[in-house]
Amino acid sequence: MNPAVADAEAIGLALAIAREAPLDEVPIGAVVLDPAGRVIGAGSNERESTSDPTAHAEVLALRRAGAAVGSWQLVGCTLAVTLEPCTMCAGAAVLARVSRVVFGAWDPKAGAVGSLWDVVRDRRLNHRPEVVGGVRAEECGELLESFFAGKRTSGGGADVL
C-alpha cells in the first residue's frame, strides 16, 4: 500500500476515536499500528475524566500497545495522532522506540515534533523516529476548532494540551 494512503487511513482511525471522546475532553485521538498496519493500541484524552495530567491520547495508546505486545519497546510501530504531540507525548514516543510518528494538525502553541520544539529529532537522543506531519491536517484542525468554539460560547475554558 502507498505509505501516504496508509498514513491517511491511520489518521482516519485516530479521528474516529477523537470524535467519540467525551464532551468535556479535548477531542484528540491516537492509534499505534504494528508493522503490519494492525491497530494494537488506541486512546483519546482522558485527563478530565481521570484527573490524570498524563492521560493524553498518545500516552494511553502507547500504554495499551505495550500491553498488547508484552513489551515497552514498540520498534517497527507507528504512532498516529490527530494533533502534533506535546513534549510529554513526543518523549513517550521516543522512549517507546516507535519507528514513525504521523500526525494531523500542527500545534504552534505546544507542539514538540517540529512546531515549538522538535523532541523526536534531537540528535542527542538515542532514538529518532521518522515524522510525517500535516496528514489530514484540515480535518483534524476543524475538529479541535469546533470543540474550542463550543467552549468559548458556553463559557468554559480549556487548553489544547
Side-chain angles (χ1 to χ4, degrees), residues 32 34 39-42 61-72 74:
V32 176
D34 70 9
V39 175
I40 57 170
L62 290 166
R63 286 178 187 163
R64 292 167 183 154
V69 300
S71 175
W72 60 269
L74 300 173

Side-chain angles (χ1 to χ4, degrees), residues 84-85 103 105-119 121:
E84 179 183 2
F103 66 89
W106 293 90
D107 185 357
K109 292 182 179 179
V113 186
S115 286
L116 192 57
W117 294 287
D118 200 350
V119 171
R121 291 179 280 211

